[in-house]
Amino acid sequence: MVKKIQLIIICVLSLLLIFLLADKNKSVSKSTTDNQQMSEQRLENDLEDGIADSEDTKKDNDISNADQSINDESTNKTVYLTFDDGPSSASSEIIDTLDQFNAKATFFMLEPAMRMFPEAVNRTVKEGHAVGLHGVTHERDKFYQSEQSALNEMKVAQETLEEISGVHSNLVRTPYGSIPYLTDSFRKIFDENGLKLWDWNVDSSDWSLSKDEYVQNVISQVEKLNKDGVAPIILMHDQDETAHHLSNLLHYLQEHNYQTKKIDENLEPYNFNCYDRCYRLDEG
């Protein structure tokens, strides 16, 4: 009888134990499921927050880049450096100085000087500068004697430049500028032959001023043009004094955010305004 009672007690306790274990497993399973759901929700929220932060960052970067682009456009100004009457013994120093400042220029060359300094012609081209034509004689009465004499001088210079460097240039600057001697008939024949006539809006007067005085002369004119929003086209000459002090001018241009550019044939040429000052030599 006692053994029977003990057996019943053991069975009851075993059943209770089974129920307890089943209940515990159910609780653990529920807790695990809840934790998994919470983890998944947290991960989803983190992803959404990450995407939102990424989009905000992209917007900030876009705004920053746009501001930088605006600043670049507003601070970089264009200037055209031009040198007449070369090449010469000073050409090497001029090109060296331009190279130090990573500056580009346009050289309007005389035909006899090209034949005298062919190495300078080739180096000018090799260094990435623009080359143009300045005629042959640089004598007013000879160059402007007739429309054909002016054209012939430019054609001779054009052929010599191409012979030495392989470059065919239609860029021209007439001796003493286009006013007052280059009348409409001269301009017409130049146009018919594809020549692109360029004058200047800043005269350095480096041929007449002593030492580095031409630099301040240029700066004062550049500052005036800057106020008017006009790109300076600076006339200088391929000569020793200009070369010796060129770095001073380039320092100023660099510090004031000017970018030097060379003239190319696709640009709209700048010419002096003729007004009523154009006349033939035999009328003046």
Side-chain angles (χ1 to χ4, degrees):
M1 181 68 180
V2 173
K3 289 183 178 180
K4 186 177 181 180
I5 293 171
Q6 289 176 342
L7 181 60
I8 293 171
I9 293 172
I10 291 172
C11 290
V12 171
L13 290 175
S14 297
L15 289 172
L16 288 172
L17 181 60
I18 290 170
F19 282 123
L20 288 173
L21 290 173
D23 187 62
K24 183 177 181 182
N25 289 336
K26 184 178 179 181
S27 298
V28 171
S29 176
K30 183 177 183 303
S31 176
T32 301
T33 301
D34 291 344
N35 288 338
Q36 183 177 358
Q37 290 176 344
M38 290 177 63
S39 297
E40 291 175 351
Q41 183 63 42
R42 188 178 298 111
L43 177 60
E44 184 178 345
N45 291 339
D46 289 345
L47 287 173
E48 290 177 353
D49 291 343
I51 292 171
D53 290 343
S54 177
E55 290 178 350
D56 290 342
T57 301
K58 183 177 183 298
K59 289 178 181 178
D60 291 342
N61 288 338
D62 289 344
I63 292 172
S64 176
N65 291 337
D67 289 343
Q68 183 64 40
S69 177
I70 292 171
N71 288 336
D72 289 344
E73 291 177 3
S74 63
T75 56
N76 287 334
K77 296 166 287 189
T78 297
V79 60
Y80 297 96
L81 307 173
T82 69
F83 295 88
D84 286 7
D85 297 353
S88 73
S89 58
S91 297
S92 179
E93 183 179 353
I94 290 174
I95 295 173
D96 286 343
T97 304
L98 292 171
D99 185 59
Q100 291 172 13
F101 288 85
N102 194 29
K104 297 302 179 186
T106 303
F107 293 79
F108 290 98
M109 298 181 172
L110 288 167
E111 194 271 346
M114 285 189 272
R115 293 201 175 279
M116 187 174 296
F117 298 96
E119 298 85 359
V121 176
N122 285 320
R123 185 186 174 194
T124 302
V125 172
K126 182 179 178 181
E127 296 287 341
H129 303 288
V131 286
L133 317 170
H134 200 38
V136 179
T137 65
H138 208 287
E139 294 183 25
R140 184 187 64 184
D141 292 344
K142 290 183 178 180
F143 184 90
Y144 295 103
Q145 183 177 5
S146 69
E147 293 82 354
Q148 194 60 46
S149 64
L151 178 63
N152 287 346
E153 286 206 17
M154 291 304 184
K155 286 294 186 181
V156 169
Q158 188 179 58
E159 291 169 2
T160 298
L161 175 62
E162 189 165 8
E163 175 188 328
I164 293 173
S165 69
V167 174
H168 181 89
S169 177
N170 290 310
L171 301 175
V172 301
R173 173 173 286 163
T174 55
Y176 312 106
S178 66
I179 300 297
Y181 306 110
L182 203 72
T183 61
D184 288 340
S185 58
F186 283 81
R187 295 169 192 266
K188 180 180 179 182
I189 197 170
F190 275 24
D191 288 340
E192 290 173 349
N193 285 269
L195 300 180
K196 311 293 185 179
L197 176 67
W198 279 83
D199 287 311
W200 59 87
N201 56 20
V202 174
D203 186 351
S204 68
S205 297
D206 57 350
W207 60 274
S208 62
L209 296 176
S210 60
K211 297 184 178 180
D212 63 346
E213 291 177 351
Y214 83 89
V215 174
Q216 189 54 51
N217 183 36
V218 169
I219 290 173
S220 62
Q221 294 177 66
V222 166
E223 289 177 344
K224 183 179 184 303
L225 290 176
N226 180 50
K227 293 178 181 178
D228 297 333
V230 177
I233 305 166
I234 303 173
L235 167 66
M236 293 176 283
H237 294 84
D238 194 326
Q239 60 183 25
D240 288 333
E241 283 302 313
T242 301
H244 296 341
H245 306 288
L246 180 60
S247 61
N248 295 337
L249 175 59
L250 294 178
H251 271 299
Y252 167 85
L253 295 174
Q254 187 179 72
E255 290 173 356
H256 289 78
N257 302 310
Y258 278 95
Q259 181 180 5
T260 60
K261 292 185 179 181
K262 60 185 181 181
I263 295 173
D264 67 58
E265 295 184 19
N266 294 320
L267 291 174
E268 182 68 26
Y270 172 82
N271 297 151
F272 296 142
N273 195 325
C274 190
Y275 298 116
D276 60 351
R277 294 184 296 165
C278 289
Y279 53 86
R280 293 189 60 84
L281 287 178
D282 55 7
E283 297 174 356

